[in-house]
Amino acid sequence: MSALIILIGFSLLAALGFLGAFVWSVRGGQFDDDYTPSVRILFDDTINPLPSDKSTPQTASK
Amino acid sequence: MSSTIAIDAHPPVVMDEFQYDNKIVRNFAIATVLYGLIGILVGVLIAFQLAYPFLNFELSYTTFGRLRPLHTNAVIFAFVGNGFFTGMYYSAPRILKAPMWSKKLSYFNFWGWQAIILAAAITLPMGLTTSKEYAELEWPIDIAIAVVWVAAMINLLMTMVNRRSEHIYAAIWFYIASFITVAMLHVVNSLALPISLFKSYSVYAGVQDALVQWWYGHNAVAFFLTTPYLGLMYYFLPKAANRPIYSYRLSIVHFWALIFLYIWAGPHHLLYNALPDWAQTLGVVFSIMLIAPSWGGMINGLFTLRGAWDKVREDVVLKFMVVALTAYGMATFEGPMLSLKSVNAISHFTDWTVAHVHVGALGWNGFLTFGILYWLIPRIYATPLHSQKLANFHFWIGTLGIIFYAVPMYWAGWTQSSMWMQFTEEGLLKYPNFLETVIQLVPLYILRGIGGVLYLVGFAVMIYNLLMTAKNGTLVETETARVPSVASSWKPSKGEYWHSRTVERKPVLLTVCALIAVAIGGVIELVPTFMVESNVPTIASVKPYTPLELQGRDIYVREGCYVCHSQMVRPFRAEIERYGEYSKAGEFVYDHPFQWGSKRTGPDLHRVGQKYPDSWHYNHMEDPRSMSPGSLMPPYSFLLDAPLDTATTAAKIRAMQTLGVPYEEGYDQIANRDLMKQADQIKGRLKQSGIETQSDREIVALIAYLQRLGTDIKGNNGNVANLN
């Protein structure tokens, strides 16, 4: 069943690529800080923030 | 003696200024809304076509078989695709704190994508289709898709390289994984041998084509409908709630587990089909494992609102997002259950699958898109949403629409399966006439259509609401952002080589380029080696199609017959009783592309050859209800008069020869002679039944194909020949 060989080949290729990306991200310190990133996206850093009904983000309690 | 102490001066923080482009976001949002409307309208029409066949309007362009692919492509690639780009072009610059790398690539992505959608909207009703579900578009459009998609990917990756935020937020990971994987899936599944500008044959055949198609079909759902939208969820839900995601750590686990597991689950679309058992089992095992990361994502999203459920009561955006996540959770629990063989035996080919698909599409993709649009449009137009009441109305009628859609389809699925499988005490089929099960479903099809109408009404209300919101405000085309420059915010530690910015740039590009290069190499090297010489066990009595049958087959493909009819008798007692011997892998080795179908609105056709006389087929195509009272099948009377284009016969034979079908050398030169001989024979048999027709009509070719189906392993007396 050669199509299976091809599909498994491509799937392994994708999986290995993702594994490589994973190793890269771990060694690059992407996951050293697993809290700040979730807060950082709440700020857009715009000079003139667009009107919003919320002024400050609420931090989720843990 | 006095001394001085040197004080290290901290370098000043340098601020960079740049603009976010809201215009591209607005453009994609408009496209999202427009195509969502069209996709749902076509969906409502085809839903009612199943209950009222006259709604096919007796035109080739508007039959269910051609419109259903239009509906799926409009919803998946036009609505969800544009919805993804809307969210990506808004969120990626703000997450990475950098404008998109290339404005030209951004607008190339936008206009290129719209051009592709337009091409699909034109070609599908014209009957230009490869018949591969969710991948029906012909080869020039496939190339355009690959180009536009990769261009958008490059734009995002280069923006990531230029980012001012060291950390790459989870949403971006989801976007990147989607781009890379969909590109690979699309290319592999689209490999075809063109014979003209809008006709091609899959390089794979039969079982192998089915495998590749559903590897794509499953993963298109995974990496087009799911991972991009999870990325959007990770950005827009926290923004809408103004709270950080519940557990950022969980998002990391969610992402990496999901992308490792998703790619292996495709075979669960082919259980009990003519596929190796171990491949089916592989698909099942990975499907069950998928519950964990999928539900991890749902939990992460819903728990972000923990302690803030009062907000959900007030904020319609959060309402939409909560239902979206709940639908995601339901669909990703049901999917693994449907992959279990005992459940799949019930659900496959029935409307249960339709219910499952639409909980995901209407609930997860639809509602998340609505939530994002309701949050986004007021922001980029700098004005409050026109009407909260209308938005809430949309929410409730949309939810009702989903319920009215899904519940009747679950009911229909169970009805179909139980009626198909039941035996009397005497051991005979309790419902031998397939039509009995079809007629039973009509009220459920009407209810499903009503569900579609409710959803459509909500959608129309949203359009009005967003239009009025835009009218009340002015588009903020760009927003200026001030962010610490890279030099100010990135502080490589001494000895921390891996934190070096220059190194961090390269591994990503290296990974992507390596993947692309190896994929291309793999395609070039593997495909000719494996595909042209089929390794599927052959059955000696299986022969290539005759030229007339091949032409008839292309008409079958063009009209989308596979949308309602399967060609796969499963090894169940009820199916063998109803249709004949179960289907063997070796019977499909010359099928470029395979036609197993995934839905039985009508009966399976794999053993229909020689079951009815030619005249039955002729009358049935002209008016299905003349031969099958109560049938929901659209009339195909236009086939009776349409001339068969025999000019293409030689090219088709040569293409098949290139793909490994063993026609004798030079057969293309004499193929039309054999074609006319066979057509004259059919004409003669029709005449004996009192039907006058010319031998060069399309109906004759179609009859030839239908009479051929499943006959290779039948002996002259109609019984199954000895297969030893």
Side-chain angles (χ1 to χ4, degrees):
Chain A
M1 190 63 59
S2 50
L4 277 173
I5 297 171
I6 288 181
L7 296 186
I8 290 178
F10 276 107
S11 298
L12 273 177
L13 183 70
L16 289 175
F18 289 145
L19 180 63
F22 177 72
V23 170
W24 168 80
S25 50
V26 170
R27 297 181 72 175
Q30 282 290 317
F31 307 126
D32 290 353
D33 179 1
D34 59 13
Y35 179 70
T36 309
S38 64
V39 180
R40 183 183 299 122
I41 61 153
L42 299 180
F43 301 93
D44 277 350
D45 301 296
T46 47
I47 290 181
N48 303 304
L50 297 176
S52 169
D53 54 344
K54 309 169 187 76
S55 50
T56 53
Q58 305 167 40
T59 304
S61 59
K62 298 208 171 187
Chain B
M1 178 186 297
S2 66
S3 65
T4 58
I5 300 171
I7 300 172
D8 279 337
H10 203 285
V13 174
V14 179
M15 303 299 283
D16 289 341
E17 272 192 19
F18 61 91
Q19 278 77 43
Y20 298 133
D21 180 3
N22 285 343
K23 194 173 172 187
I24 187 76
V25 173
R26 186 278 308 272
N27 291 355
F28 274 114
I30 292 173
T32 302
V33 170
L34 176 64
Y35 290 120
L37 179 64
I38 293 172
I40 298 169
L41 272 171
V42 176
V44 168
L45 173 62
I46 64 175
F48 281 113
Q49 280 180 339
L50 285 182
Y52 304 111
F54 71 85
L55 289 174
N56 288 270
F57 307 122
E58 246 178 284
L59 291 170
S60 59
Y61 311 104
T62 53
T63 54
F64 182 89
R66 295 195 188 187
L67 290 186
R68 191 262 176 173
L70 180 60
H71 166 64
T72 56
N73 278 266
V75 170
I76 296 171
F77 298 110
F79 173 62
V80 172
N82 277 304
F84 165 54
F85 288 129
T86 302
M88 182 192 94
Y89 278 99
Y90 184 89
S91 61
R94 288 164 172 80
I95 292 170
L96 300 169
K97 305 200 188 296
M100 294 306 291
W101 178 59
S102 165
K103 199 174 195 109
K104 284 180 181 172
L105 276 185
S106 298
Y107 282 87
F108 175 75
N109 178 189
F110 176 73
W111 290 111
W113 200 249
Q114 311 320 315
I116 287 163
I117 292 165
L118 184 61
I122 294 170
T123 56
L124 291 172
M126 289 176 65
L128 305 176
T129 171
T130 64
S131 80
K132 296 192 165 199
E133 289 188 64
Y134 319 125
E136 291 93 348
L137 303 178
E138 272 294 354
W139 66 275
I141 310 176
D142 282 342
I143 292 173
I145 290 169
V147 171
V148 172
W149 186 255
V150 169
M153 174 172 72
I154 290 169
N155 204 8
L156 178 64
L157 285 173
M158 290 306 298
T159 304
M160 193 177 91
V161 170
N162 292 338
R163 71 190 185 282
R164 291 178 176 82
S165 165
E166 179 182 357
H167 181 85
I168 301 167
Y169 185 68
I172 303 294
W173 284 114
F174 279 102
Y175 301 162
I176 294 171
S178 305
F179 275 121
I180 293 175
T181 309
V182 170
M184 178 184 73
L185 294 162
H186 171 70
V187 169
V188 175
N189 189 45
S190 300
L191 294 177
L193 179 63
I195 67 159
S196 72
L197 188 59
F198 280 109
K199 181 60 182 177
S200 63
Y201 291 113
S202 172
V203 299
Y204 318 101
V207 175
Q208 313 212 56
D209 196 33
L211 251 176
V212 175
Q213 154 63 23
W214 285 108
W215 173 76
Y216 167 90
H218 171 78
N219 286 313
V221 171
F223 286 96
F224 198 90
L225 297 178
T226 301
T227 52
Y229 266 60
L230 286 167
L232 298 182
M233 185 276 286
Y234 273 109
Y235 181 79
F236 286 98
L237 177 62
K239 295 292 278 187
N242 213 10
R243 302 171 129 235
I245 199 75
Y246 167 67
S247 166
Y248 191 69
R249 185 178 302 146
L250 179 54
S251 75
I252 295 166
V253 177
H254 172 203
F255 170 71
W256 292 107
L258 194 74
I259 61 170
F260 278 121
L261 292 175
Y262 248 140
I263 200 89
W264 309 101
H268 77 210
H269 289 261
L270 296 167
L271 300 186
Y272 293 112
N273 288 11
L275 183 73
D277 222 39
W278 66 267
Q280 300 185 26
T281 304
L282 177 84
V284 175
V285 170
F286 276 94
S287 301
I288 299 301
M289 286 196 277
L290 264 173
I291 299 178
S294 298
W295 271 51
M298 175 190 69
I299 287 165
N300 214 355
L302 292 179
F303 276 29
T304 297
L305 301 171
R306 192 183 55 159
W309 288 107
D310 55 300
K311 271 203 200 191
V312 178
R313 248 185 285 118
E314 296 158 10
D315 190 339
V316 69
V317 168
L318 294 180
K319 280 197 186 84
F320 275 110
M321 291 184 174
V322 165
V323 171
L325 276 163
T326 305
Y328 174 68
M330 289 191 291
T332 55
F333 179 76
E334 182 183 26
M337 294 303 104
L338 291 172
S339 78
L340 295 171
K341 276 193 152 181
S342 50
V343 182
N344 195 267
I346 297 168
S347 67
H348 194 47
F349 291 136
T350 75
D351 285 307
W352 184 345
T353 305
V354 176
H356 167 65
V357 166
H358 282 80
V359 166
L362 300 175
W364 164 242
N365 292 105
F367 269 39
L368 185 54
T369 304
F370 304 152
I372 290 169
L373 289 173
Y374 279 125
W375 183 85
L376 192 71
I377 297 299
R379 266 158 192 78
I380 63 175
Y381 279 88
T383 187
L385 183 67
H386 174 69
S387 168
Q388 290 289 330
K389 282 186 179 177
L390 285 181
N392 273 283
F393 172 78
H394 175 195
F395 171 76
W396 288 111
I397 198 170
T399 303
L400 264 186
I402 296 171
I403 294 170
F404 267 77
Y405 191 105
V407 172
M409 289 294 97
Y410 284 121
W411 197 293
W414 279 91
T415 301
Q416 284 164 312
S417 192
S418 62
M419 291 180 78
W420 293 348
M421 297 293 188
Q422 275 183 63
F423 283 89
T424 65
E425 286 176 5
E426 292 77 32
L428 303 172
L429 286 170
K430 186 167 182 179
Y431 302 98
N433 184 356
F434 187 91
L435 205 45
E436 292 177 89
T437 77
V438 175
I439 293 170
Q440 198 74 30
L441 303 175
V442 172
L444 299 170
Y445 284 159
I446 294 170
L447 280 177
R448 178 263 296 271
I450 291 171
V453 170
L454 295 178
Y455 198 87
L456 176 61
V457 168
F459 197 95
V461 166
M462 176 189 74
I463 293 177
Y464 171 79
N465 207 352
L466 295 180
L467 270 179
M468 290 303 294
T469 302
K471 196 174 174 184
N472 291 339
T474 305
L475 177 68
V476 182
E477 292 200 3
T478 60
E479 292 172 64
T480 303
R482 291 180 84 241
V483 177
S485 69
V486 171
S488 298
S489 60
W490 290 47
K491 301 175 179 64
S493 307
K494 282 188 173 180
E496 291 289 345
Y497 179 70
W498 282 102
H499 282 254
S500 167
R501 183 164 176 257
T502 54
V503 174
E504 277 176 321
R505 290 176 190 265
K506 294 172 183 173
V508 172
L509 289 180
L510 184 63
T511 302
V512 174
C513 295
L515 176 60
I516 293 174
V518 179
I520 294 171
V523 170
I524 295 174
E525 292 179 13
L526 291 175
V527 170
T529 306
F530 288 106
M531 290 297 107
V532 175
E533 303 168 22
S534 174
N535 288 339
V536 173
T538 54
I539 299 172
S541 57
V542 174
K543 297 291 189 285
Y545 292 105
T546 68
L548 187 63
E549 289 162 2
L550 194 59
Q551 290 281 15
R553 179 169 216 272
D554 286 341
I555 293 166
Y556 183 98
V557 165
R558 183 189 75 201
E559 298 308 328
C561 301
Y562 63 92
V563 166
C564 287
H565 291 281
S566 58
Q567 287 187 21
M568 171 56 57
V569 182
R570 294 177 291 176
F572 301 157
R573 178 183 168 209
E575 299 213 357
I576 293 171
E577 286 284 330
R578 184 181 297 277
Y579 301 116
E581 180 67 10
Y582 70 92
S583 305
K584 313 291 196 297
E587 297 186 74
F588 302 104
V589 291
Y590 304 128
D591 283 14
H592 293 269
F594 83 111
Q595 292 295 298
W596 295 358
S598 63
K599 181 71 174 63
R600 278 190 196 146
T601 306
D604 186 273
L605 297 182
H606 192 216
R607 300 291 180 213
V608 80
Q610 307 301 326
K611 184 174 177 180
Y612 304 105
D614 291 354
S615 57
W616 187 93
H617 286 295
Y618 187 97
N619 290 319
H620 188 246
M621 297 307 289
E622 180 170 35
D623 179 10
R625 278 154 289 287
S626 71
M627 309 305 294
S628 308
S631 169
L632 304 177
M633 180 170 162
Y636 285 87
S637 51
F638 48 86
L639 293 179
L640 274 53
D641 300 315
L644 181 66
D645 179 12
T646 56
T648 58
T649 307
K652 292 180 176 181
I653 296 293
R654 284 194 297 271
M656 288 296 163
Q657 286 172 319
T658 302
L659 294 171
V661 179
Y663 291 108
E664 61 196 46
E665 188 72 23
Y667 186 64
D668 56 304
Q669 304 303 318
I670 61 176
N672 268 337
R673 183 195 66 188
D674 284 355
L675 182 149
M676 291 312 299
K677 187 185 300 180
Q678 186 178 2
D680 284 335
Q681 290 169 359
I682 294 175
K683 175 186 173 184
R685 286 198 289 273
L686 290 173
K687 186 168 184 178
Q688 287 175 23
S689 305
I691 296 172
E692 290 288 345
T693 184
Q694 300 177 58
S695 51
D696 61 347
R697 303 291 114 169
E698 286 189 335
I699 185 66
V700 173
L702 183 60
I703 290 172
Y705 174 64
L706 293 174
Q707 294 291 33
R708 168 60 185 276
L709 284 173
T711 59
D712 285 308
I713 63 170
K714 288 187 184 180
N716 287 334
N717 58 359
N719 293 327
V720 176
N722 190 316
L723 291 180
N724 292 330

